[in-house]
Amino acid sequence: MPTQRTTGLFTFADWQERTISPDGVRPKLAHASVVNSFSGGIEAAGTTCEYTIAYVTEKTGTFTGMELLAGRLDGREGSFAVEERGSFAEDGSVRCEFEVVAGSGTGELTGLRGTGGFVARHGEPSVPYTFDYELA
């Protein structure tokens, strides 16, 4: 199957963050448990997402994470995990790239491979994403 592109939006349903580094130590490390809801090509309500965040300043830094999406991808039912890596800037924008964890696709998404990304702008309630994928 050739590579396909799908797009849509996601929203943060919940964000629980806690500092995990000692007080006053820089860069500050934090952990966030996040719930997102995806619509469009990816339909997944209530995803499970875990981030580790390094704050270089109060407003800038980087993050890595894993997210489990269960629902539908362009009408195919199943679940898959993505590994995420990104950064956030002084203006509140967040840039992220993600890749499907090899072998994580289930159901009609077995054999899924793909990469995607998004740019979130501070204050926008929904974030547009793109996802390029193949099904083996």
Side-chain angles (χ1 to χ4, degrees), residues 41-123:
I42 299 171
E43 297 173 48
T47 67
T48 302
C49 184
E50 299 293 327
Y51 289 121
T52 301
I53 306 163
Y55 286 92
V56 178
T57 71
E58 286 298 317
K59 294 182 179 181
T60 64
T62 63
F63 63 90
T64 60
M66 292 285 189
E67 185 163 17
L68 176 62
L69 298 103
R72 296 184 182 280
L73 170 60
D74 287 338
R76 295 176 190 88
E77 194 165 342
S79 62
F80 61 99
V82 294
E83 182 176 0
E84 302 181 8
R85 179 178 295 272
S87 62
F88 47 100
E90 188 77 31
D91 65 2
S93 63
V94 177
R95 297 184 182 283
C96 179
E97 294 181 352
F98 57 86
E99 182 173 1
V100 173
V101 174
S104 69
T106 67
E108 294 177 295
L109 302 178
T110 299
L112 179 68
R113 293 184 308 227
T115 59
F118 64 83
V119 176
R121 309 241 182 257
H122 183 68

Side-chain angles (χ1 to χ4, degrees), residues 1 3 5 7 11 18 25 29 34 37 44 49 54 62 75 78 80 82 95 107 110 118 127 129 134:
M1 172 183 265
T3 300
R5 171 166 280 190
T7 61
T11 58
R18 65 181 167 71
V25 174
L29 292 183
V34 181
S37 289
C49 184
T62 63
F80 61 99
V82 294
R95 297 184 182 283
T110 299
F118 64 83
V127 179
Y129 66 83
E134 297 176 6

